[in-house]
Amino acid sequence: MVYIKRAAEETIERVSKMFPVLLVTGPRQVGKTTLLQKLAETEKQSGIERKYVTLDDPDARYLAKTDPAMFLQRYSPPVLIDEIQYATELLPYIKMRVDRSKRKGDFWLTGSQVFRLMEHVSESLAGRVGIVNLLGLSDAEICQTPSEPFSTDAERLMNRLSVVKPRGLNEIYRRIFKGSMPELYADENVDWEIYYRSYVDTYLQRDIRDLTQVADEMQFYNFMTVAAAHTSKPVVYEELANAAGVTAPTAKKWLSILVSSHIAALVQPYYNNVLKRVVKMPLLHFLDTGLAAYLLKWGSPEALERGAMSGAFFESYVFSEIYKSYLNAGKEPPVFYYRDKDQKEIDLLIYQDGVLSPVEIKKAASPGSAAVKNFTVLEPIAKPKAFGGLETLKTEIGTGNVICMAEDLLPVDEKNWFVPVWLI
């Protein structure tokens, strides 16, 4: 199977040199183990022999759970331990081992059941573990182009024009429909529908079944489908609950499971004291559009592109690409959105270094200047008088982007740009 070079490789190598324990988390089958095994091969060239053990192996898991000290004698560092969530009993022993040796990069761990794992990690390895979140493939990884955290800066976008290949509507929707799972790109013989059916079955049976708050797998599957149908929409728990046939508290709990396992992301609304009429509901995005398409029974990229959810899938695809660009660089995505009680909405806000940059996402090839009309709602935050003269609370409004199906990077006006989706 072809190895696809991952944008997070440099981040993982950097984090491994900073902490004695490296933990790579993310959904199932996004390539966590493959990536770390590839980096272990690179280490071998400099004389570092890293052992490998997976806790999917019942014998290894039994030893790890019943005799952690013996396990760590058998698999002494440097070591890569796969699926650490199956034997969190190891974590206190790993802590004692790294406190004695104080060597960086001794333990590489992977884990996919993040909702269960992180509580144990924070208790046992606080201050000793560097965490990298890995999602499915980004466009930069699929096309093997440079990956960098997204910004709306026009100069950055112009520089990317020389390294990124333009793509049309049909190509973009083939990408949206196919999703982000590495195996679908590494092996062309893998059947899309069979793959995602197996993926969902594994997720429900291996991860969800273990959770006491999910008593009915099929009801949770139905809830996943309802959540997929709400991608790129503000979250109203009563709506999700009614559609899925569960209570609102159950809907809230189950959505938190999807978020914790990186199936979905919640984007918080941007808020400060000047913007009084902001709606405080988070926005939901499915992070793998291929999984969402499978759950909603879309049969082809063409049907998806022509269908009622075409725009919603386009928005979630753009969001996930921007979101992954930060995670791959080891950064927390500084993303928000805006919606107020007058129904004015901005799809995405990037807040960095005291600068708030608005982003509108439109499937259209020529959205027109009206696409940036809602950006004006942010103007009060750039005026110190609005904060009672407190200059320190003023926020600068940065370059705005309209990410769309335009064929070229073009200015809307002196502050905003039309950005082809393939350029982000």
Side-chain angles (χ1 to χ4, degrees), residues 343-406:
Q343 303 301 306
K344 291 180 179 175
E345 189 170 338
I346 301 173
D347 293 325
L348 201 59
L349 296 166
I350 312 288
Y351 183 61
Q352 292 188 98
D353 304 322
V355 178
L356 190 69
S357 303
V359 176
E360 193 67 19
I361 304 169
K362 298 286 186 189
K363 181 191 166 189
S366 304
S369 58
V372 301
K373 69 180 188 298
N374 288 342
F375 291 179
T376 57
V377 299
L378 301 175
E379 289 175 359
I381 70 173
K383 298 173 181 175
K385 289 181 181 178
F387 295 95
L390 292 174
E391 182 76 25
T392 53
L393 294 178
K394 187 182 84 165
T395 300
E396 183 183 338
I397 299 172
T399 302
N401 284 178
V402 180
I403 298 174
C404 57
M405 284 306 307

Side-chain angles (χ1 to χ4, degrees), residues 222-239:
N222 185 43
F223 177 79
M224 281 179 69
T225 304
V226 168
H230 282 74
T231 193
S232 84
K233 292 182 181 177
V235 174
V236 180
Y237 290 107
E238 290 76 10
E239 259 183 42

Side-chain angles (χ1 to χ4, degrees), residues 28-29 113 115 196-211 214-225 254 257-258 261 263 291 294-295:
R28 288 191 169 277
Q29 300 176 30
Q113 286 185 5
F115 31 77
Y196 275 113
R197 185 190 310 140
S198 170
Y199 183 89
V200 170
D201 286 347
T202 303
Y203 177 66
L204 292 173
Q205 291 170 15
R206 296 285 297 280
D207 293 344
I208 300 306
R209 182 181 286 176
D210 291 343
L211 296 170
V214 179
D216 187 331
E217 287 173 32
M218 288 313 300
Q219 200 169 29
F220 187 84
Y221 173 82
N222 185 43
F223 177 79
M224 281 179 69
T225 304
W254 286 2
I257 291 172
L258 293 179
S261 50
I263 298 294
L291 175 60
Y294 168 77
L295 289 168

Side-chain angles (χ1 to χ4, degrees), residues 2-197:
V2 178
Y3 175 74
I4 299 170
K5 182 175 171 60
R6 303 304 298 266
E9 285 183 14
E10 289 181 12
T11 300
I12 288 171
E13 289 174 335
R14 187 173 73 248
V15 171
S16 182
K17 291 172 182 173
M18 293 169 58
F19 294 92
V21 183
L22 163 74
L23 171 62
V24 179
T25 69
R28 288 191 169 277
Q29 300 176 30
V30 294
K32 300 182 293 293
T33 306
T34 304
L35 169 53
L36 290 182
Q37 286 179 326
K38 187 70 175 179
L39 294 179
E41 283 179 24
T42 306
E43 280 188 323
K44 196 181 290 186
Q45 296 169 10
S46 56
I48 299 173
E49 290 280 348
R50 185 175 295 273
K51 300 179 183 70
Y52 170 76
V53 58
T54 175
L55 297 179
D56 266 334
D57 179 339
D59 293 332
R61 183 163 68 242
Y62 179 79
L63 180 60
K65 292 177 79 68
T66 57
D67 197 342
M70 178 64 73
F71 179 92
L72 291 181
Q73 285 185 40
R74 168 67 183 82
Y75 300 103
S76 56
V79 62
L80 164 53
I81 304 175
D82 208 5
E83 304 291 5
I84 187 66
Q85 74 273 3
Y86 292 135
T88 52
E89 293 86 352
L90 279 173
L91 297 176
Y93 290 83
I94 290 175
K95 172 185 179 291
M96 290 187 287
R97 181 67 73 96
V98 300
D99 284 350
R100 283 199 303 269
S101 72
K102 302 192 184 304
R103 283 194 305 269
K104 308 296 186 189
D106 259 3
F107 290 89
W108 289 1
L109 314 176
T110 75
S112 52
Q113 286 185 5
V114 186
F115 31 77
R116 165 178 292 180
L117 178 59
M118 296 313 294
E119 181 183 349
H120 295 283
V121 168
S122 59
E123 286 174 1
S124 303
L125 296 176
R128 300 165 182 83
V129 60
I131 300 170
V132 177
N133 295 312
L134 187 71
L135 298 182
L137 294 174
S138 66
D139 275 357
E141 291 169 322
I142 293 167
C143 302
Q144 291 295 289
T145 54
S147 178
E148 58 193 9
F150 175 83
S151 79
T152 60
D153 179 65
E155 186 177 348
R156 182 194 79 89
L157 292 165
M158 284 179 187
N159 290 338
R160 284 187 68 77
L161 282 171
S162 62
V163 295
V164 180
K165 180 184 172 186
R167 287 175 293 161
L169 181 69
N170 293 337
E171 202 171 349
I172 291 294
Y173 270 85
R174 281 196 294 272
R175 164 77 177 87
I176 291 172
F177 179 79
K178 191 170 184 176
S180 302
M181 291 300 176
E183 197 170 337
L184 294 171
Y185 294 87
D187 185 351
E188 293 181 359
N189 296 317
V190 175
D191 182 273
W192 178 88
E193 186 172 356
I194 293 172
Y195 177 84
Y196 275 113
R197 185 190 310 140

Side-chain angles (χ1 to χ4, degrees), residues 257-295:
I257 291 172
L258 293 179
V259 171
S260 297
S261 50
H262 300 295
I263 298 294
L266 291 181
V267 189
Q268 297 303 320
Y270 178 79
Y271 174 80
N272 67 31
N273 292 332
V274 175
L275 304 173
K276 303 284 189 188
R277 297 178 57 77
V278 173
V279 172
K280 297 185 180 179
M281 297 177 292
L283 190 71
L284 171 67
H285 282 292
F286 247 63
L287 290 170
D288 188 318
T289 50
L291 175 60
Y294 168 77
L295 289 168

